[in-house]
Structure formats: structure tokens, C-alpha cells
Amino acid sequence: MSTELSEQEQFRRQSLDDLRNLGIDPYPAALYPTDSFSTDIKAAFNDEMIGTNVCVAGRLMSRRIMGKASFIELQDSKGRIQVLRESR
């Protein structure tokens, strides 16, 4: 079975090869510094932690905006956590 590439696909593959030949990774994995996981935050949470900054990375599963309050549900490699942001 012969598969012919369109002109656009040929151009894109040539551009990809050109980047690689220049030593450029066309699909770099972004490094995102994290210091917490959802399970760690939930396990250690108490009223003293309110306003504490943490750095987590994950997939945004849902978003709800309710006036001045916004809620997101974030899923990381260990679980899910709900985040509240209040506008002032």
C-alpha cells in the first residue's frame, strides 16, 4: 500500500528534519518545578496553611466560576484536589 503525503505534510516533515539537523529539539518537554502533590496537600492541610503558596502540576479537570470565587479541580499523578481562588 502506497501512502502519498500532501504538499503540506511534506513541508512539515522537511521543517521537522531541518530543526533536528540544527540540533533543536522540536518537541521539548517543559520542566515545571513542583514541590507538592495533591495527596500531600490534603494530608497536611489545616487552617494555618490558608494563603500558603505551593507549586503543583497536573491536568485541569473542571472549572467553575461563581461570582468572585473560582474553583478548579486539578488532577496530578497521585490524585485530585480542588483549588479556590477568590477575586478581590
Side-chain angles (χ1 to χ4, degrees):
M1 180 189 293
S2 174
T3 305
E4 292 188 29
L5 300 176
S6 70
E7 183 179 340
Q8 183 179 26
E9 289 170 321
Q10 291 173 3
F11 177 76
R12 287 181 179 178
R13 288 187 184 196
Q14 183 59 49
S15 296
L16 186 63
D17 289 339
D18 292 344
L19 286 173
R20 287 183 174 143
N21 290 336
L22 290 171
I24 299 171
D25 182 3
Y27 304 107
L31 294 177
Y32 189 80
T34 60
D35 60 13
S36 300
F37 289 100
S38 60
T39 52
D40 302 334
I41 295 168
K42 288 191 282 189
F45 185 78
N46 58 42
D47 288 341
E48 295 173 5
M49 286 187 66
I50 295 175
T52 303
N53 291 326
V54 294
C55 190
V56 296
R59 175 176 277 179
L60 182 64
M61 302 304 288
S62 67
R63 179 181 76 162
R64 296 178 305 285
I65 300 173
M66 301 177 174
K68 291 187 176 186
S70 300
F71 297 90
I72 65 165
E73 188 174 7
L74 185 75
Q75 179 176 334
D76 64 10
S77 61
K78 294 189 177 186
R80 287 186 180 201
I81 191 167
Q82 185 180 60
V83 180
L84 164 68
R85 180 178 185 268
E86 296 177 299
S87 300
R88 296 170 195 221

